[in-house]
Amino acid sequence: MALESTEQTQEELILGFLSESGEDYTSGEALSGKLGLSRTAVWKRVEALRTKGYRIEAVPARGYRLVEVPDRLTALEVAPLLETHDLGRTVHHHAVLGSTNEVAFRLAQDGAEHGEVVVAEQQTSGKGRRGRAWVSPPGLNLYFSAILRPELPPQRAPELTLVAAVALAETLRECGVDAAIKWPNDVHIDGRKVAGILTELSAEPERVHFVIVGVGVNLNCQDEHFPEELRGVATSLSLARGEKVHRARFAASLWTRLEEWLDLYLETGFDAVRARWKELSSTLGQDVLVRTDRSELRGLAEDIDPSGALLVRTEGGQLERVLAGDVEQLRPRQSPRPRQTPRRAAPSE
Ligand code: BTN
């Protein structure tokens, strides 16, 4: 096991160096110097990578060049692109499982550390909010659950969902689409849902044990991958952009951004997240119909309060506080949302 993980780290490092070099060749000598390995050991790791689907060109007297990376979401693909200290540094990758949230919950109960992530190529019983299913076809999208161990009282844990929504909307905007957050935490492009978040909590009265932040992002699925009832309601990043998305690059960008926002939130509190959430929201300033388990409410979505509850001004002038429900935006009003300037290369091909 220890040997395997050393070899995996060496392979991740080789991929990192080759990715950095882009179209240029990296000599075997340079790689062996950077890794502290013999040239033969480097060659063996390159061979191992080839058997895992990487196309690595080797030219005598020039060195190695990475030509093609398999479209997968293992640590080998994501780690070389990550800029995090904890999040995604350990990836539990599954070709197929029921729900990443459930697997992450069990791992966390067994002591998994802050930042460990469960990723699946396919989920057979992906869970959405309010008991719904999350459609999770194989090899096309991103389904992951992050195990977080923040020092927070349990009543503040829902704020983490807003942290994730902000990171998600920003990462999607970085790809050139006009993503917006629809309350509570769905992310939409042109009024169609592209991503959702399901946060689950294990806590005692005073202290959070862990939080599972589960995120599903439709990246490369097409209309035919959605069941009939979701066509016209759901979309994918690739449908919105008209080109294929590099899933590992997207995952690395999202996790990097998620950790940046998480760090800021844990250091300075909820205010900055709330302010950014409001900028990215498509719900505020709109007339809405909110359906909760027990009732319906119509009015103007005026604000979110410091805990993330939606504040709706009813026709009678009352300000109602909604903690959970589904929002229908009744009629588009002019959105005050500013576009964001990308901060780093877009995670797309
Ligand atoms: C929603 O209803 O909007 C929330 C959807 C959350 C789906 C993701 S996919 C990865 C993780 N595992 C699950 O079973 N659900 C979440």
Side-chain angles (χ1 to χ4, degrees), residues 99-101 123 126-129 134 143-145 186 193 196-198 214-216:
S99 153
T100 56
N101 266 36
Q123 297 184 114
K127 299 192 292 182
R129 283 193 312 115
W134 186 259
Y143 322 111
F144 75 90
S145 300
D186 295 346
K193 182 159 168 171
I197 304 162
L198 182 68
V215 178

Side-chain angles (χ1 to χ4, degrees), residues 84-342:
T84 60
H85 44 85
D86 293 318
L87 194 70
R89 290 291 163 190
T90 299
V91 173
H92 303 267
H93 176 266
H94 294 256
V96 51
L97 49 56
S99 153
T100 56
N101 266 36
E102 282 175 10
V103 171
F105 207 95
R106 284 199 296 275
L107 281 172
Q109 282 174 323
D110 291 345
E113 289 187 15
H114 175 83
E116 293 191 24
V117 171
V118 178
V119 184
E121 298 290 339
Q122 177 185 10
Q123 297 184 114
T124 52
S125 42
K127 299 192 292 182
R129 283 193 312 115
R130 297 163 71 78
R132 298 190 188 108
W134 186 259
V135 177
S136 311
L140 294 168
N141 299 324
L142 174 61
Y143 322 111
F144 75 90
S145 300
I147 297 166
L148 304 181
R149 295 189 182 274
E151 286 192 15
L152 283 179
Q155 61 274 19
R156 289 196 53 202
E159 295 171 358
L160 292 168
T161 315
L162 282 81
V163 171
V166 163
L168 247 178
E170 285 191 345
T171 308
L172 286 160
R173 285 188 180 196
E174 211 179 40
C175 298
V177 293
D178 193 13
I181 305 170
K182 183 177 168 211
W183 188 89
N185 282 300
D186 295 346
V187 182
H188 283 233
I189 301 171
D190 298 329
R192 295 179 182 201
K193 182 159 168 171
V194 67
I197 304 162
L198 182 68
T199 303
E200 297 181 278
L201 173 70
S202 165
E204 52 193 86
E206 298 298 313
R207 196 176 67 88
V208 165
H209 294 150
F210 59 82
V211 180
I212 305 298
V213 177
V215 178
V217 194
N218 298 328
L219 290 180
N220 285 321
C221 63
Q222 303 298 304
D223 277 329
E224 65 266 24
H225 297 110
F226 294 119
E228 196 75 53
E229 68 275 14
L230 291 184
R231 291 188 196 152
V233 179
T235 191
S236 70
L237 180 54
S238 146
L239 280 169
R241 287 164 36 104
E243 65 186 287
K244 194 176 175 215
V245 179
H246 190 293
R247 292 189 305 146
R249 221 174 281 160
F250 185 91
S253 295
L254 175 56
W255 298 351
T256 300
R257 212 169 256 273
L258 179 54
E259 190 176 76
E260 281 168 10
W261 274 106
L262 187 63
D263 287 351
L264 183 72
Y265 165 73
L266 293 172
E267 273 162 33
T268 68
F270 186 52
D271 285 354
V273 175
R274 178 169 170 246
R276 186 68 182 130
W277 189 99
K278 286 167 70 168
E279 286 173 355
L280 294 163
S281 160
S282 61
T283 306
L284 299 186
Q286 305 292 320
D287 287 321
V288 293
L289 171 63
V290 188
R291 293 190 183 87
T292 67
D293 285 337
R294 276 178 251 133
S295 61
E296 282 190 4
L297 179 72
R298 260 172 209 273
L300 175 67
E302 233 176 58
D303 204 351
I304 53 164
D305 77 4
S307 66
L310 185 66
L311 301 176
V312 179
R313 180 79 60 188
T314 62
E315 280 178 1
Q318 293 270 92
L319 198 60
E320 299 281 348
R321 187 167 174 265
V322 188
L323 285 166
D326 285 318
V327 162
E328 190 182 324
Q329 291 172 193
L330 293 175
R331 139 168 55 92
R333 293 191 184 193
Q334 195 59 42
S335 164
R337 289 178 287 116
R339 288 297 309 267
Q340 194 207 357
T341 317

Side-chain angles (χ1 to χ4, degrees), residues 7-8 11 14 41-54 56 72 76:
E7 289 176 349
Q8 165 141 343
E11 288 167 21
I14 291 175
V42 167
W43 175 79
K44 277 191 183 155
R45 300 280 41 92
V46 168
E47 279 300 294
L49 284 166
R50 285 177 172 152
T51 64
K52 291 174 186 166
Y54 292 85
I56 298 172
R72 253 189 339 232
L76 272 183

